Amino acid sequence: MKKVFELEDLDCANCAAKMADAIRKIDGVKSADVNFLTQKLTIEAEDDAFPAILKKAAKACKAIEPDCRILL
């Protein structure tokens, strides 16, 4: 399953790259991209594990950029 989410308050392109790297390391994630210009997060992951993966991705984003939120 591939889903795209909007991001709020992503202020740094370097942070976006760090977020994408951290999300790619989550078990079950096939691919992940954080686009700083469009403020979008794209995750491709296993269908059955997607809710858990999304929670871990949100936690990873908060650790890198505390003000950034994934809009569901």
Side-chain angles (χ1 to χ4, degrees), residues 11 20-21 25-26 37 39 41 44-45 52 57 64 68:
D11 297 330
D21 287 341
K25 292 177 184 175
I26 297 170
L37 294 176
Q39 302 279 300
L41 163 64
E44 185 175 359
I64 295 164
C68 184

Side-chain angles (χ1 to χ4, degrees), residues 5-68:
F5 302 94
E6 288 190 37
L7 297 172
E8 182 177 75
D9 294 331
L10 177 59
D11 297 330
C12 169
N14 187 41
C15 293
K18 288 179 183 178
M19 286 179 194
D21 287 341
I23 294 169
R24 283 187 204 109
K25 292 177 184 175
I26 297 170
D27 286 337
V29 173
K30 295 176 185 172
S31 68
D33 181 58
V34 178
N35 189 312
F36 174 69
L37 294 176
T38 62
Q39 302 279 300
K40 304 257 186 215
L41 163 64
T42 305
I43 299 176
E44 185 175 359
E46 299 170 8
D47 293 355
D48 57 338
F50 209 89
I53 289 169
L54 190 56
K55 285 182 183 179
K56 291 178 184 177
K59 187 175 181 179
C61 289
K62 283 282 185 194
I64 295 164
E65 177 120 18
D67 293 334
C68 184

